[in-house]
Amino acid sequence: MFQDLKNYVNEYLYNKEVLGVSSSLEEFKRLLTMSIIKECNSGIEVYEGYSPREITLMLYSPFESDCPVQLNKLSSEEYAMIPIFRQVKRLMEVIEEKKELKLTAKGNLPVKIVKELYSLGISDDFIEAGIYKLAKEQDSKRVRIVRILAHSAGLIKKRKGVLSLTVEGVRNLKDDSLLLKTLIGAFCRKIDWEILDFMNIYGDIIRIEVAFSIVLLARYGTEKRIEQFYAVKNYNAFPLYFESPVSEDTLCWDYNNSYRERIIKGFMKHFGLIEFEPREKMCDSIYLQKSAIFDKLFRIIPPKQ
C-alpha cells in the first residue's frame, strides 16, 4: 500500500541530490508526514475507492458517527421486517409481561417460547431438512443465538434459573432504534461467531469486516450474484495468505464457507439484509441480492476524494 509513498520520497531525495541540495532532517520529516497523510487519505481500488483511513473506521468503529456506513431510523413496521430483531424483542416482551421467565430444569427456554421464537426468525437448514426436530432450545442455533445475543448485549440476565430484563433491557425495549443499534453492535463485537458455523479458521478476521461487506452489497446487490463474488472482493481487500489477488476459481473453500456462514447467512440473513432462494443441496452456492429493507436501513457515505 505504501509503495507509492516510497517511490515519491526516493524521487524527491534523488532530485535534491541532482541539484546538489542536501535535505535537512526537519524537511525530510515534514515530507514524510505529508506523504503518509496523503497516502492514508487516498482511495484504493480494492477498497472500492475508500482510503485506508476510511477502511480503518469501518473495521474498528462500524456504524459510529464518523464511519462511512451509517444506520438510519426506520418505522415500527420496518423494524418488524428484521428477523433477529423480531425474535429478541419478543423474548424481551415475554420476560416483561411475566416480570421474569423461568427456565427448564436443564436451563433452557420453555418449549413454547422456543417454537414461537423460531417461527419469527430465519429457518434452520437442519430442522427444515428433518435432520433435527425442534423440541428444545438446543435443537436450533437460530433460537440459541437469540438468547446469546440478548445476554451479550446486556439486555437480559440470568439468576437462579430465571431470566429477567436489565435496566438497559427496559430502556432498549422502549426504543426500536436503540435496540437495533445495540443488537448490531453486540452481534459484531461481543458474541462468539463459532455458533454460526462451528469453524474458527477465519472467524475473528471476518467479523470486523461486516461494514465493508455492507458497502459491497450496497454497490452490487441490486442484481443476484453468487456468494463467491462477495467473498473474493472481501478477501482481496483483506488478504490473508495469497500475495496475488484471488478469483472465484482460486479462492480457498474454507474461506468462502466461513464468509458464507458468518457474513451472508449469519449477519446478513439474521438482520434481513439479503434475499436468496433455498438451495437444492446444502453444498450448492448461494445467489443473493439485497432486500427491500437494506437501502432503508443503511446510508453509505461515498469515498472522500
Side-chain angles (χ1 to χ4, degrees):
M1 181 175 68
F2 289 98
Q3 186 61 42
D4 291 341
L5 168 62
K6 181 180 178 181
N7 293 339
Y8 177 74
V9 173
N10 285 339
E11 181 180 358
Y12 176 85
L13 295 176
Y14 175 77
N15 291 335
K16 284 283 189 177
E17 184 178 346
V18 170
L19 295 173
V21 179
S22 60
S23 300
S24 66
L25 179 60
E26 290 304 316
E27 184 180 5
F28 178 76
K29 286 181 178 179
R30 180 183 62 80
L31 171 67
L32 187 61
T33 300
M34 292 178 61
S35 301
I36 291 175
I37 292 174
K38 180 181 178 182
E39 187 75 17
C40 288
N41 287 281
S42 299
I44 296 178
E45 184 177 356
V46 293
Y47 292 160
E48 299 295 317
Y50 287 95
S51 67
R53 178 182 177 278
E54 291 169 316
I55 287 296
T56 299
L57 292 172
M58 289 189 207
L59 296 178
Y60 301 106
S61 302
F63 317 113
E64 298 300 330
S65 59
D66 52 355
C67 177
V69 181
Q70 297 285 304
L71 291 173
N72 292 324
K73 287 191 175 183
L74 305 175
S75 65
S76 298
E77 293 75 20
E78 289 168 338
Y79 282 115
M81 295 171 64
I82 302 173
I84 194 73
F85 179 89
R86 291 195 301 262
Q87 291 174 296
V88 173
K89 186 173 183 179
R90 181 54 188 157
L91 175 60
M92 295 171 68
E93 288 173 341
V94 170
I95 295 174
E96 182 186 48
E97 292 166 3
K98 298 176 178 292
K99 305 301 181 184
E100 58 183 28
L101 180 62
K102 185 176 181 181
L103 302 174
T104 67
K106 293 186 177 181
N108 294 323
L109 293 171
V111 176
K112 181 181 178 180
I113 301 300
V114 169
K115 292 185 176 182
E116 182 179 6
L117 294 181
Y118 180 82
S119 69
L120 295 174
I122 64 177
S123 60
D124 190 307
D125 291 341
F126 292 101
I127 290 177
E128 298 304 313
I131 298 175
Y132 295 128
K133 182 179 179 182
L134 187 61
K136 58 184 182 299
E137 180 183 345
Q138 299 302 315
D139 291 334
S140 173
K141 65 181 180 181
R142 305 303 186 196
V143 174
R144 288 171 55 209
I145 201 170
V146 173
R147 179 175 162 189
I148 290 172
L149 180 58
H151 186 269
S152 298
L155 302 173
I156 63 174
K157 60 185 177 182
K158 175 185 173 183
R159 184 171 182 271
K160 295 182 178 180
V162 172
L163 295 182
S164 59
L165 295 181
T166 63
V167 173
E168 279 302 301
V170 173
R171 188 166 75 95
N172 275 256
L173 189 55
K174 297 176 181 178
D175 186 338
D176 286 347
S177 177
L178 175 61
L179 177 57
L180 181 62
K181 184 176 182 179
T182 298
L183 294 180
I184 289 179
F187 199 101
C188 294
R189 301 174 186 174
K190 296 183 178 181
I191 70 169
D192 186 351
W193 277 27
E194 189 172 343
I195 189 178
L196 299 175
D197 66 354
F198 305 107
M199 295 179 68
N200 197 28
I201 301 175
Y202 305 107
D204 289 338
I205 298 173
I206 289 177
R207 68 185 296 157
I208 68 172
E209 297 157 12
V210 165
F212 183 71
S213 291
I214 290 173
V215 168
L216 294 178
L217 190 61
R219 289 198 173 187
Y220 304 105
T222 302
E223 60 182 86
K224 285 187 178 180
R225 296 181 187 271
I226 195 170
E227 62 189 46
Q228 286 90 340
F229 173 85
Y230 294 100
V232 165
K233 281 190 168 293
N234 194 80
Y235 189 97
N236 286 335
F238 312 104
L240 297 175
Y241 301 118
F242 302 113
E243 294 183 0
S244 58
V246 299
S247 66
E248 293 179 12
D249 295 325
T250 60
L251 182 69
C252 64
W253 180 88
D254 286 340
Y255 183 89
N256 183 75
N257 182 71
S258 189
Y259 188 85
R260 178 184 65 243
E261 296 300 320
R262 297 184 177 217
I263 295 290
I264 295 176
K265 293 181 65 181
F267 178 80
M268 291 184 175
K269 191 64 175 174
H270 272 296
F271 284 92
L273 307 181
I274 57 173
E275 296 175 353
F276 60 80
E277 297 177 0
R279 297 175 291 173
E280 292 185 7
K281 299 178 182 178
M282 294 185 68
C283 60
D284 290 344
S285 293
I286 292 174
Y287 287 82
L288 62 140
Q289 63 186 129
K290 59 184 177 181
S291 66
I293 199 67
F294 181 91
D295 288 326
K296 295 182 179 180
L297 179 57
F298 296 108
R299 179 168 62 91
I300 310 299
I301 301 173
K304 296 178 180 178
Q305 298 295 338

